[in-house]
């Protein structure tokens, strides 16, 4: 095709000078850096566009090289007088960014359409599928030829020792074996539990990981270097293997079939006017990608057509059965379980030290029992947990500040001045009873804690704030409840979610308000009516983080 290559400067432009442009995409959920593909802009004097508008298209990294080649050779007129800048980003990354709206791409090609419904639930604007599939590729088990597995099912494949699955919260490829295993047994009511049990060691391994798991070519290179089995697509194995034997891998599929990646084209521009114009561009892009030359480029890159037919030249794994779930909620349940097992706790615990915490509870005080609860949680959780500790009461931090940092958030195995974070947490928790006094500064503290955790957000963890209090807000100079709820709702970022778990200590706590605070952040609220139950409630709240 003749014509201009397409890049983005982020603004409309009418000039015709050549240049380089780049669009940089950021990482959220978990995870992997977005890579921007810059396409050289060479405008043709023969086109009919009086003005060319720049649009962004975020796509799964595996399909970006082919897209860049195809769209880079298209005329501006072929694309509706648009420059389309292609950037590589994992599907989980883009799904999270759509909730923010401000850095959402105009167009999106995830690895599978399963992401579209999930993204639509939190997206700041409409999410509209333009084309259900521009290409496809079955998910396979990649290995050296001598290590090729003979798994009869995907459930068995999930149990291969040291299998490299990837993070199913980030890519559809990693979700596919779970989807396929559930589909294999969807007629059996016990099967879903068996699949979830098979995920436990994989999720625990993910929880213990200190760096992002390699994906795509990096994961396949690990298999070449060290052996083993990795979950990949047929396309990625074909593209990776170089033909001279140095980087050749074999792809196999259980006889039950496989799940397919289907790469839909989706319009995601959040602003109504921009979304309408992006829809017109998407139609043009879809037409280009459906053309004969584009199909040839995609096939050369190892992709199958939208119908999933085998590779024309006999490459790949041949004709296989497509596995799919009749009820997608089974997959979402499994992924929810994965998140709870795989994502470690990262929390800021804020303990009320107002005067009422001295109230006797049996032969001890409310504060004594609360400290016992904190120490119990501190002792039972693994080193992968990150936690910090605040104390709060009216004016405790000096002037109008109602909170005081006792320990900043760090992993439990972090060593500071010869002491682990776990020991520092225990030591400082034992000192909070020396701070008792004043009224309950609930609202300002809750907002400050929420913002602190959000500002230091860790995409590899469930980020939360845990508030323990026996009363209602008593600071007349603080924000109001209505202001707190409004600010939390406004500042909640689906791409950087922070949940607030509230624990009311005895029936004196303002249970209704605490429940409202938790609800607006999709957190949970508990009340320990019997002071003796505080420890159990606290530990259960930590263990059930993220369930709303």
């Amino acid at each position: 095709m003749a014509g201009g290559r397409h890049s983005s400067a982020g603004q409309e432009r009418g000039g015709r000078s050549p240049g380089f442009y780049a669009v940089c995409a950021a990482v959220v959920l978990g995870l992997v850096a977005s890579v921007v593909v810059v396409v050289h802009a060479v405008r043709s004097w023969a086109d009919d566009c009086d003005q060319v508008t720049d649009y962004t298209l975020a796509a799964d990294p595996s399909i970006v090289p082919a897209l860049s080649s195809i769209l880079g050779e298209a005329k501006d007129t072929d694309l509706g007088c648009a420059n389309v800048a292609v950037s590589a980003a994992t599907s989980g990354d883009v799904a999270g960014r759509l909730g923010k709206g401000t850095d959402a791409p105009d167009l999106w090609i995830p690895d599978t359409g399963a992401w579209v419904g999930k993204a639509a639930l939190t997206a700041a604007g409409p999410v509209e599928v333009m084309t259900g599939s521009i290409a496809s590729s079955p998910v396979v088990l990649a290995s050296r030829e001598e290590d090729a597995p003979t798994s009869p099912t995907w459930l068995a494949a999930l149990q291969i020792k040291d299998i490299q699955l990837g993070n199913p919260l980030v890519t559809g490829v990693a979700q596919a074996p779970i989807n396929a295993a559930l589909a294999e047994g969807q007629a059996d009511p016990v099967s879903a539990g068996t699949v979830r049990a098979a995920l436990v060691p994989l999720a625990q391994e993910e929880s213990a990981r200190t760096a992002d798991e390699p994906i795509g070519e990096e994961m396949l290179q690990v298999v070449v270097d060290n052996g083993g089995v990795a979950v990949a697509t047929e396309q990625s194995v074909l593209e990776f293997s170089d033909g001279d034997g140095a980087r050749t891998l074999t792809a196999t599929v259980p006889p039950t079939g496989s799940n397919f990646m289907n790469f839909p084209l989706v319009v995601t521009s959040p602003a109504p006017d921009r979304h309408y114009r992006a829809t017109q561009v998407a139609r043009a892009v879809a037409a280009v990608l459906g053309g004969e030359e584009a199909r040839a480029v995609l096939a050369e890159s190892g992709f199958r057509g939208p119908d999933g037919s085998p590779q024309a030249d006999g490459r790949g794994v041949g004709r296989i059965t497509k596995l799919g779930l009749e009820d997608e909620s089974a997959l979402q349940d499994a992924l929810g379980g994965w998140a709870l097992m795989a994502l470690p706790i990262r929390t800021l615990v804020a303990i009320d030290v107002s005067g009422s915490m001295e109230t006797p509870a049996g032969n001890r005080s409310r504060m004594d029992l609360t400290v016992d609860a904190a120490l119990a949680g501190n002792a039972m959780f693994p080193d992968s947990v990150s936690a910090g500790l605040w104390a709060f009461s009216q004016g405790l931090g000096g002037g109008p500040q109602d909170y005081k940092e006792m320990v900043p958030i760090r992993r439990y195995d972090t060593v500071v001045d010869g002491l682990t974070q776990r020991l520092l947490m225990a030591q400082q928790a034992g000192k909070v009873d020396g701070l008792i006094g004043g009224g309950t500064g609930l609202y300002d503290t809750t907002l400050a804690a929420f913002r602190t955790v959000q500002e230091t957000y860790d995409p590899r963890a469930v980020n939360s704030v845990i508030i323990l209090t026996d009363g209602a807000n008593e600071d007349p100079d603080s924000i109001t409840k209505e202001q707190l709820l409004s600010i939390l709702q406004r500042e909640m970022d689906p791409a950087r979610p922070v949940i607030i778990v509230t624990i009311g200590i005895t029936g004196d706590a303002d249970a209704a308000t605490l429940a409202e605070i938790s609800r607006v952040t999709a957190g949970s609220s508990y009340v320990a009516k019997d002071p003796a139950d505080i420890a159990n409630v606290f530990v259960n709240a930590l263990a059930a983080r993220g369930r709303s």
Side-chain angles (χ1 to χ4, degrees):
M1 298 183 195
R5 291 182 175 269
H6 297 273
S7 177
S8 172
Q11 302 290 334
E12 293 192 359
R13 60 182 176 81
R16 300 178 182 269
S17 61
F20 285 91
Y21 302 88
V23 175
C24 297
V27 175
V28 175
L29 281 128
L31 308 172
V32 184
S34 298
V35 181
V36 172
V37 177
V38 183
V39 186
H40 190 201
V42 181
R43 293 291 313 284
S44 166
W45 287 94
D47 66 39
D48 297 322
C49 296
D50 293 329
Q51 187 176 51
V52 175
T53 307
D54 299 316
Y55 290 87
T56 56
L57 190 162
D60 181 80
S62 67
I63 203 168
V64 163
L67 290 176
S68 300
S69 174
I70 296 165
L71 298 181
E73 293 299 325
K75 294 179 181 179
D76 292 334
T77 48
D78 291 337
L79 298 177
C81 293
N83 282 325
V84 180
V86 182
S87 65
T90 61
S91 300
D93 170 27
V94 179
R97 285 161 50 197
L98 292 180
K100 298 175 66 175
T102 53
D103 61 350
D106 297 306
L107 308 176
W108 180 29
I109 298 179
D111 53 9
T112 175
W115 290 102
V116 179
K118 182 176 180 180
L121 294 175
T122 58
V127 176
E128 179 182 358
V129 176
M130 181 56 57
T131 300
S133 175
I134 63 168
S136 69
S137 188
V139 173
V140 301
L141 297 171
S143 66
R144 298 171 180 170
E145 187 171 359
E146 64 270 23
D147 297 329
T150 55
S151 304
T153 64
W154 279 102
L155 176 58
L158 287 171
Q159 299 172 70
I160 294 174
K161 181 176 172 55
D162 298 326
I163 186 171
Q164 294 187 65
L165 174 65
N167 189 339
L169 304 181
V170 177
T171 71
V173 176
Q175 290 180 12
I178 305 171
N179 189 317
L182 289 167
E184 287 169 339
Q186 57 191 328
D188 179 1
V190 205
S191 176
T194 308
V195 173
R196 286 196 293 269
L199 294 178
V200 170
L202 296 170
Q204 290 174 338
E205 182 181 338
E206 180 69 21
S207 176
R209 197 181 302 280
T210 56
D212 289 329
E213 186 171 5
I215 63 172
E217 183 174 340
E218 290 183 8
M219 179 184 282
L220 296 179
Q221 187 61 53
V222 170
V223 174
V224 168
D225 294 340
N226 304 323
V229 178
V231 175
T233 61
E234 176 189 66
Q235 181 275 331
S236 65
V237 174
L238 291 173
E239 188 78 354
F240 177 84
S241 298
D242 57 14
D244 64 5
R247 293 195 347 162
T248 299
L249 292 174
T250 187
T252 57
V253 172
T256 53
S258 188
N259 204 240
F260 276 66
M261 299 296 97
N262 62 346
F263 304 97
L265 175 62
V266 187
V267 183
T268 50
S269 185
D273 289 348
R274 177 83 175 182
H275 186 93
Y276 174 77
R277 293 193 297 271
T279 300
Q280 312 309 308
V281 173
R283 289 196 179 99
V285 169
V288 169
L289 295 178
E292 186 176 337
E293 292 182 46
R295 294 284 189 216
V297 171
L298 288 164
E300 186 179 351
S301 298
F303 291 97
R304 299 187 180 201
D307 64 357
S309 297
Q311 304 278 348
D313 54 7
R315 296 187 302 165
V317 293
R319 187 174 302 278
I320 56 177
T321 302
K322 290 185 179 181
L323 287 174
L325 283 168
E326 296 174 3
D327 181 4
E328 287 290 331
S329 66
L331 176 62
Q332 297 311 314
D333 288 345
L335 294 178
W338 172 282
L340 289 174
M341 292 183 290
L343 298 182
I345 297 169
R346 181 177 185 273
T347 192
L348 176 56
V349 180
I351 297 178
D352 183 356
V353 295
S354 60
S356 59
M357 290 291 284
E358 284 188 310
T359 302
N363 59 355
R364 308 184 69 198
S365 69
R366 292 175 180 175
M367 178 56 73
D368 291 335
L369 295 172
T370 301
V371 170
D372 285 350
L375 292 174
N378 189 63
M380 72 172 289
F381 285 96
D383 286 344
S384 59
V385 165
S386 296
L389 179 65
W390 284 9
F392 69 96
S393 66
Q394 187 177 347
L396 179 64
Q401 183 170 302
D402 291 339
Y403 57 92
K404 178 179 181 179
E405 181 182 75
M406 308 294 287
V407 188
I409 302 173
R410 291 184 286 245
R411 268 180 61 113
Y412 271 177
D413 56 2
T414 303
V415 177
V416 181
D417 296 331
L419 299 175
T420 64
Q421 176 78 352
R422 187 189 302 275
L423 184 54
L424 287 171
M425 288 284 288
Q427 287 183 347
Q428 293 302 310
K431 293 180 180 180
V432 295
D433 59 355
L435 302 175
I436 292 178
T440 303
L442 178 62
Y443 297 156
D444 283 353
T445 298
T446 299
L447 180 58
F450 173 85
R451 286 173 167 171
T452 296
V453 174
Q454 192 176 62
E455 288 165 4
T456 58
Y457 184 83
D458 181 357
R460 293 185 50 82
V462 174
N463 294 253
S464 63
V465 173
I466 298 179
I467 305 286
L468 297 100
T469 179
D470 71 339
N473 186 72
E474 296 173 323
D475 183 356
D477 298 322
S478 78
I479 58 175
T480 65
K481 180 183 77 171
E482 290 71 24
Q483 288 173 322
L484 171 63
L485 297 176
S486 175
I487 294 170
L488 289 174
Q489 189 169 34
R490 184 171 67 247
E491 296 187 5
M492 269 294 293
D493 183 352
R496 299 165 66 86
V498 175
I499 63 172
I500 298 177
V501 176
T502 53
I503 301 175
I505 300 170
T506 78
D508 290 346
D510 186 355
T513 294
L514 294 177
E516 286 184 85
I517 292 171
S518 292
R519 192 179 303 117
V520 79
T521 64
S524 302
S525 186
Y526 304 81
V527 175
K529 293 183 178 179
D530 184 341
D533 291 336
I534 294 172
N536 286 336
V537 167
F538 180 62
V539 171
N540 289 338
L542 279 172
R545 72 208 186 281
R547 293 191 184 126
S548 56

